[in-house]
């Protein structure tokens, strides 16, 4: 296989607001890889239930899952998420969707569908993919596995800024509580819980510049490959 044909996978896992998507996106840009945010896939499935006023129960999820089609499109280096033909990118990060998404993401059939979709991306591209189970389930043979952490204070601050950009103003203590609750559900669920795999490199992003972490990750990849 020539160097050009070789496909690389960087798996980035971590809890809520640990910096995954910001860092993953920047690493992908630096290396010219495709960036896939798997959280947005689970968020899009959740949005389907909210938009159609369908209560989120395991039974309803099983009976509706085949009506949900998620695709992505690249637009000026930004990933656009399409749910059944509609660009829903701007609707995925509300506080309400964030609260509901773990209830959808813990259901086996949802995970099976999403993982299938996620693996498709790696067939033809070198990718940076972020989520909760990328190194443990989706790509156990990933070229590089990163596990991100950050202090609760910093994570809540990031969430607050993120929501404020979208016009939602929520008290920082409520956000701290939401972060801990969401992480707890993600870590304790039966299907593909959030874990740090043994061979993942841990990066604590607290107080870091994004560019420092991006450099660390690209250097790690370069050391392992011939890029
Ligand atoms: O990464 P983000 O915070 O946007 O993810 C939203 C939610 O989607 C997580 O809290 C988790 O419940 C779910 N998720 C998951 N597996 C992934 C990515 C996200 O279960 N690979």
């Amino acid at each position: 296989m020539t160097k050009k044909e070789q496909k690389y996978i960087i798996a980035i896992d971590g809890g809520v607001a640990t910096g995954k998507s910001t860092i993953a996106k920047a690493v992908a840009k630096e290396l010219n890889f495709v960036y896939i945010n798997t959280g947005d896939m689970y968020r899009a499935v959740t949005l389907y239930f909210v938009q159609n006023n369908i209560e989120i129960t395991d039974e309803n999820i099983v009976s509706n899952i085949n009506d949900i089609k998620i695709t992505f499109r690249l637009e000026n280096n930004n990933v656009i998420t399409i749910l059944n033909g509609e660009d829903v990118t701007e609707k995925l990060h509300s506080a309400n969707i964030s609260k509901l998404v773990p209830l959808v993401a813990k259901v086996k059939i949802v995970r099976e569908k999403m993982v299938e979709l996620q693996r498709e991306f790696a067939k033809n591209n070198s990718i940076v993919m972020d989520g909760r189970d990328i190194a443990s389930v989706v790509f156990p043979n990933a070229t590089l596995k990163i596990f991100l952490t950050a202090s609760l204070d910093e994570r809540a601050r990031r969430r607050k800024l993120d929501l404020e950009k979208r016009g939602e103003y929520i008290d920082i203590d409520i956000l701290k509580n939401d972060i801990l609750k969401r992480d707890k559900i993600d870590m304790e669920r039966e299907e593909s819980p959030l874990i740090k795999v043994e061979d993942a490199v841990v990066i604590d992003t607290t107080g870091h510049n994004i560019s420092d972490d991006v450099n660390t990750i690209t250097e790690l990849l370069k050391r392992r490959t011939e890029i």
Side-chain angles (χ1 to χ4, degrees), residues 83-119:
L83 167 64
N84 290 346
E86 184 197 354
D87 173 357
V88 292
T89 317
E90 293 304 318
K91 298 181 179 170
L92 299 177
H93 290 266
S94 67
N96 187 42
I97 296 292
S98 298
K99 193 177 82 200
L100 295 172
V101 61
L103 305 177
V104 171
K106 70 182 174 57
V107 181
K108 191 171 183 208
I109 184 120
V110 175
R111 304 209 69 84
E112 285 171 355
K113 291 258 174 197
M114 296 304 116
V115 169
E116 199 185 310
L117 203 57
Q118 289 152 17
R119 288 184 180 145

Side-chain angles (χ1 to χ4, degrees), residues 20 38-39 42-43 101-102 105 111 131-133 182 186 189:
K20 295 185 307 295
T38 63
Y42 293 95
R43 286 172 182 273
V101 61
R111 304 209 69 84
R132 301 294 187 289
D133 60 339
R182 179 137 68 99
D186 289 340
R189 70 183 175 213

Side-chain angles (χ1 to χ4, degrees), residues 21 25 35 37 39-45 47-48 51 69-95 97-98 159 162 165-166 168:
S21 58
K25 197 172 170 187
Y35 165 55
N37 177 332
D40 279 0
M41 293 186 181
Y42 293 95
R43 286 172 182 273
V45 177
L47 183 68
Y48 173 87
Q51 282 186 333
K69 190 164 186 295
I70 295 164
T71 52
F72 293 100
R73 195 176 66 226
L74 259 189
E75 225 172 64
N76 307 326
N77 236 341
N78 288 315
V79 183
I80 306 294
T81 308
I82 316 280
L83 167 64
N84 290 346
E86 184 197 354
D87 173 357
V88 292
T89 317
E90 293 304 318
K91 298 181 179 170
L92 299 177
H93 290 266
S94 67
I97 296 292
S98 298
R159 268 305 280 151
D162 212 41
K165 273 191 221 145
R166 297 164 205 274
E168 286 191 77

